[in-house]
Amino acid sequence: MDDYQTCPKCKTTKYRNPAMVLMVNACGHALCESCVELLFAKGSGACPECKCPLRRNNFRVQLFEDPAVDKEVDIRKRILKEFNKRQEDFPSLREYNDYLEEVETIIFNLVYDIDPTNTNKMIDNYKKENKDITQKNRNRQSQEEMELEVLLEAEKAQQSEKANLYVNAELEEKKQKHKAREKLIDELMFSDADAKSIVASHVQATAALAKEQPKAAAQLSSGVVKSSKFSSGVQIGLRGQHTNSFLPIPKQEDLPLYRYTAPVFDYDGPPPPPIEKLGKLNYFANIRAANITERAGGYTEAMSCCRALQEALGGLFYSPQLTHKAAVLATNASTPDTDDMETT
Amino acid sequence: MFATSTQRHFWMFKDENDVSNARLSANIKYISSRGRNMTVAERETHFLNVVEEKSLIMSYEYQLRDFCRKFHPPMPRYVIGTALHYLKRFYVNNSVMDYPPKEILVTCVYLACKVEEFNVSMDQFVGNLKGDREKAAAIILNNELLLMQQLDYQLTVHNPFRPLEGLMIDMKTRFPTFSDPERLRPGIDEFLEQVFYTDAILIYSPSQISLAAIIHSASTSKENVDEYITKILFSEDQKRLLNLIEAVKKIRVMVRNVQLPHRDTIKALEKKLALCCNPDNNSESPAFKKRMKQSFDEEESFEDGQYPSASSNQVRNMLMGLSEMGKI
């Protein structure tokens, strides 16, 4: 897709070089990097399409395919720095929505160059009236950003500590092994006991040591819990400590494993022979054989034979019962409806 | 399967008395709602009683069968069986005077064709009817939902034909001493035709009915299939065997007692029906037509859940337009 985008100035170069990056300017038109440099090397700063005066630092690397989108995103960022009121600042939802609509109108006008003088006037008016609220909101936003930063930092710190711990644990292990080996050699050299017994006891000692290592490592890793409270009970960190604590994941109970039970058919009659045995019992001699087209479709004589037999034998044990709605009505007959019964 | 079907769970009766009771309650309900201002004697003469209703229904069942026999393309047996089932079930819950049987009859056949996947377009279907075709189409379409509603939307019907085939196959395989069970076929077919005019299909399971057909046909040709039943089918259960024998006996008795009512009685009953039927549901009556026209004129826009009602003229024009465009 990137190959489609052409730099409007040099046109051909973009096709041949997909690594080429398009830059977008303040009036929303795209230019490839080399053309931008060319333009400013000459010293003149005019957009090749619309001829509005440009500055070098007004060119940003294009993030979106459509340069118009980039332009709008830019304008939006700029405007929203000024118009940063939130829902809590308004007494009713309707007013908040009106405010938002005003913001959108301004952005729209700026993007499509509709009535720029009026729009700019509106912006200036707003700026004047709402200076302090804007300032307060800005501070609040930066506070939130700070919180996020703190969280990120804490995570990073945790990770680095863990890494350090592991490195330390490894070093410790190595040291211990080294010590043990030296001890063994010393004992062999200086003690009077039997060499074999010394080696055996040494092996036991190393085995016991090996078991202790994982336990120690586990203990160490769990020791990096950050304290969330001062000793007096006041919570550390900015407001919203609930971001650090999470609800425990509900434990899944052990449900019984699924067990397959074959379906049981109640034929209410003598059981028909199963479909696999029909051939052996020579039922097919008495049924029309499937012709080639039928067999190609997957039909076999066994199917219709089995079905006929099931229907024939099913229901033979049936004894008459009243299941019609009349049965239900009969049970309700203890409370007779005057409509139904004839009264003279 | 029948054992798990709605037919078994919702549309079965214990014996003929139960069926008659159900019909009786439907009859009484209709009479008491329509004949509120009449004396007992007047009601007797004006309205149909249960026995007369039963004869009427039987005559309509014969008509249904005739209609299906002449149907083009030829209609398979199970479609006819399903249609008869629907007709029977409908008139167990409702009185004959409430809904005109002629209309319900065609609707039953149409619905049965759909359910049993015997594809017939509306054009083809009304082509088999005499008289005004668009009107018939309109009647059928209007009644279809009513029919389904009265059947509680339980449309799957188990007929005795497939169990019959199964029993034939089984007999040929496991009971080879009985030579050529195909000889019994004509008798069986006749029996099955007759059984649909009784209430046996509402009391016994279809496999029992087909077994009764086999036994009947065998006994008329002086053969004996008892060995097959006792040795092979019911080799384990004696008690159930007795149960089955009883059922078969009763079915055969019912079939033996089938009697087509006399044509003159039927004519008289029809005349009586024309007098006492519910004019709101009878599309012939002038009251119905007037009501339909009124409701169509009033309601230009229909509220949720109501279907547009149209006078027969409007429907006719609509259907003609549709049939000109293509197929309905």
Side-chain angles (χ1 to χ4, degrees):
Chain A
M1 274 210 264
D2 290 322
D3 294 343
Y4 293 151
Q5 288 172 319
T6 21
C7 165
K9 200 144 184 257
C10 54
K11 289 198 211 291
T12 49
T13 327
K14 189 59 169 128
Y15 284 139
R16 295 192 212 140
N17 195 354
M20 186 74 71
V21 157
L22 278 181
M23 315 269 275
V24 119
N25 60 20
C27 64
H29 299 124
L31 279 177
C32 76
E33 254 183 303
S34 42
C35 288
V36 168
E37 283 184 29
L38 205 71
L39 195 60
F40 287 103
K42 274 205 221 157
S44 66
C47 168
E49 278 119 56
C50 60
K51 303 281 181 269
C52 29
L54 291 175
R55 277 191 289 225
R56 180 76 173 82
N57 53 7
N58 270 344
F59 268 89
R60 284 162 295 278
V61 174
Q62 188 172 330
L63 295 166
F64 302 97
E65 258 179 45
D66 188 1
V69 174
D70 239 309
K71 179 179 175 191
E72 173 163 350
V73 163
D74 250 7
I75 291 178
R76 198 174 276 271
K77 251 195 240 171
R78 209 178 5 120
I79 297 287
L80 284 176
K81 265 200 206 134
E82 297 296 330
F83 292 75
N84 60 2
K85 280 204 204 159
R86 295 154 173 226
Q87 190 166 358
E88 296 96 57
D89 297 329
F90 292 94
S92 77
L93 183 64
R94 185 61 207 261
E95 295 189 28
Y96 181 51
N97 286 336
D98 288 340
Y99 163 76
L100 286 176
E101 218 181 297
E102 207 189 307
V103 171
E104 287 300 321
T105 328
I106 291 179
I107 295 180
F108 186 83
N109 288 347
L110 284 175
V111 171
Y112 293 101
D113 291 323
I114 304 169
D115 199 12
T117 40
N118 250 343
T119 320
N120 282 325
K121 248 194 234 165
M122 272 170 63
I123 296 177
D124 290 330
N125 279 340
Y126 175 83
K127 266 197 218 167
K128 271 188 235 156
E129 288 166 18
N130 297 298
K131 224 191 238 173
D132 39 349
I133 302 181
T134 311
Q135 193 66 18
K136 194 172 85 175
N137 280 341
R138 243 185 242 165
N139 286 339
R140 210 189 305 172
Q141 273 174 2
S142 54
Q143 243 188 1
E144 281 177 353
E145 285 170 28
M146 261 169 64
E147 273 181 39
L148 276 172
E149 275 193 45
V150 164
L151 278 174
L152 284 169
E153 270 189 44
E155 246 191 84
K156 265 196 207 156
Q158 241 190 357
Q159 280 182 343
S160 61
E161 280 206 47
K162 264 197 195 161
N164 280 342
L165 276 169
Y166 280 125
V167 165
N168 286 342
E170 270 192 49
L171 281 171
E172 285 275 335
E173 239 188 273
K174 273 197 186 150
K175 274 192 205 158
Q176 294 227 6
K177 269 196 187 159
H178 200 67
K179 268 194 200 152
R181 201 179 287 158
E182 294 209 342
K183 199 166 147 208
L184 173 65
I185 294 177
D186 286 337
E187 281 198 358
L188 284 171
M189 280 206 300
F190 298 121
S191 83
D192 297 328
D194 184 22
K196 272 196 191 155
S197 63
I198 295 177
V199 173
S201 66
H202 179 79
V203 166
Q204 270 184 18
T206 40
L209 211 63
K211 272 192 210 153
E212 278 183 31
Q213 293 289 17
K215 274 193 222 158
Q219 273 182 3
L220 283 171
S221 62
S222 61
V224 194
V225 171
K226 237 176 128 192
S227 58
S228 64
K229 278 193 195 177
F230 285 116
S231 51
S232 59
V234 177
Q235 294 199 321
I236 296 181
L238 302 161
R239 63 178 173 118
Q241 209 45 59
H242 46 264
T243 50
N244 275 342
S245 59
F246 300 99
L247 290 170
I249 301 172
K251 183 168 178 231
Q252 270 188 334
E253 290 155 16
D254 284 313
L255 299 165
L257 287 176
Y258 172 72
R259 269 212 160 71
Y260 169 71
T261 47
V264 174
F265 297 111
D266 179 21
Y267 290 109
D268 205 14
I275 190 169
E276 304 86 27
K277 299 231 179 86
L278 288 178
K280 284 195 211 125
L281 298 168
N282 200 24
Y283 273 96
F284 296 153
N286 300 319
I287 195 169
R288 177 179 71 88
N291 61 31
I292 293 185
T293 40
E294 286 169 351
R295 237 178 309 139
Y299 169 80
T300 56
E301 305 91 6
M303 285 184 199
S304 66
C305 188
C306 184
R307 190 180 183 197
L309 282 173
Q310 277 179 355
E311 292 234 1
L313 298 178
L316 276 179
F317 294 164
Y318 174 75
S319 46
Q321 300 158 22
L322 180 59
T323 57
H324 183 246
K325 293 190 274 199
V328 176
L329 289 174
T331 51
N332 297 340
S334 49
T335 56
D337 288 307
T338 47
D339 274 352
D340 280 353
M341 292 297 139
E342 223 177 73
T343 50
T344 52
Chain B
M1 284 183 297
F2 174 72
T4 52
S5 65
T6 50
Q7 182 176 342
R8 184 214 183 285
H9 287 292
F10 296 104
W11 289 100
M12 284 278 135
F13 290 85
K14 197 150 185 232
D15 53 24
E16 289 195 305
N17 285 334
D18 277 339
V19 187
S20 319
N21 285 343
R23 293 202 176 112
L24 184 68
S25 62
N27 181 285
I28 290 174
K29 201 161 152 194
Y30 179 76
I31 291 179
S32 55
S33 72
R34 299 283 306 176
R36 236 182 277 261
N37 307 321
M38 298 189 199
T39 65
V40 180
E42 278 182 354
R43 284 189 208 192
E44 294 256 323
T45 47
H46 185 83
F47 291 111
L48 296 170
N49 65 26
V50 194
V51 177
E52 293 168 339
E53 281 194 345
K54 196 156 190 282
S55 332
L56 259 184
I57 300 228
M58 196 179 286
S59 82
Y60 276 108
E61 283 170 8
Y62 271 92
Q63 283 189 32
L64 197 155
R65 216 180 250 281
D66 282 335
F67 171 60
C68 293
R69 216 169 286 165
K70 295 184 204 141
F71 198 83
H72 181 79
M75 198 181 269
R77 287 194 293 184
Y78 51 87
V79 179
I80 308 180
T82 307
L84 282 169
H85 248 284
Y86 287 161
L87 193 66
K88 262 206 217 301
R89 286 190 194 177
F90 185 86
Y91 282 115
V92 159
N93 285 338
N94 299 297
S95 160
V96 179
M97 301 178 270
D98 214 353
Y99 301 99
K102 257 215 177 82
E103 301 185 355
I104 301 294
L105 196 155
V106 264
T107 317
C108 280
V109 182
Y110 185 66
L111 188 61
C113 288
K114 275 197 201 170
V115 169
E116 296 292 342
E117 301 188 2
F118 175 66
N119 191 2
V120 179
S121 73
M122 182 55 104
D123 269 342
Q124 252 182 324
F125 191 86
V126 296
N128 285 299
L129 290 170
K130 288 181 225 137
D132 193 353
R133 295 199 178 160
E134 280 93 14
K135 189 168 171 205
I139 289 174
I140 295 176
L141 291 175
N142 281 340
N143 281 331
E144 200 177 349
L145 271 177
L146 167 73
L147 176 64
M148 284 205 275
Q149 192 183 33
Q150 291 300 315
L151 296 174
D152 267 346
Y153 302 97
Q154 289 157 347
L155 302 176
T156 308
V157 164
H158 290 266
N159 284 312
F161 305 110
R162 204 179 286 121
L164 175 68
E165 300 298 329
L167 285 171
M168 285 274 129
I169 295 171
D170 200 37
M171 241 167 60
K172 289 179 202 166
T173 315
R174 293 204 276 180
F175 193 52
T177 43
F178 189 90
S179 55
D180 195 23
E182 295 290 327
R183 299 177 278 143
L184 301 175
R185 283 252 178 203
I188 291 174
D189 290 341
E190 199 194 308
F191 187 90
L192 284 180
E193 249 200 60
Q194 295 294 312
V195 86
F196 272 102
Y197 300 127
T198 69
D199 291 332
I201 51 179
L202 295 171
I203 303 175
Y204 296 104
S205 77
S207 47
Q208 287 170 336
I209 294 177
S210 54
L211 193 59
I214 292 180
I215 292 174
H216 178 91
S217 173
S219 71
T220 41
S221 33
K222 306 280 189 287
E223 307 269 355
N224 201 329
V225 288
D226 292 342
E227 213 183 295
Y228 169 61
I229 298 173
T230 46
K231 289 263 175 60
I232 294 167
L233 286 183
F234 287 91
S235 47
E236 289 116 47
D237 281 304
Q238 275 303 102
K239 190 172 65 118
R240 293 204 166 123
L241 177 60
L242 292 171
N243 186 14
L244 179 79
I245 292 176
E246 178 97 20
V248 166
K249 215 186 282 179
K250 290 220 178 103
I251 297 173
R252 287 176 72 181
V253 162
M254 273 200 252
V255 170
R256 207 177 301 146
N257 293 339
V258 164
Q259 235 180 7
L260 174 61
H262 208 248
R263 277 199 33 193
D264 297 331
T265 19
I266 296 294
K267 281 214 178 116
L269 287 176
E270 294 231 10
K271 276 201 199 126
K272 203 174 169 191
L273 174 66
L275 288 172
C276 66
C277 67
N278 189 347
D280 290 334
N281 294 334
N282 188 357
S283 54
E284 302 291 333
S285 71
F288 180 80
K289 286 185 185 157
K290 198 165 127 195
R291 185 170 68 100
M292 286 285 119
K293 190 165 186 301
Q294 252 183 0
S295 60
F296 186 76
D297 289 334
E298 281 167 4
E299 303 170 6
E300 280 292 276
S301 61
F302 20 100
E303 305 145 48
D304 288 8
Q306 278 188 359
Y307 295 96
S309 30
S311 72
S312 51
N313 265 326
Q314 307 268 2
V315 174
R316 195 174 301 166
N317 292 334
M318 198 168 65
L319 286 174
M320 280 215 291
L322 282 174
S323 59
E324 273 176 321
M325 280 196 299
K327 296 204 181 276
I328 299 176

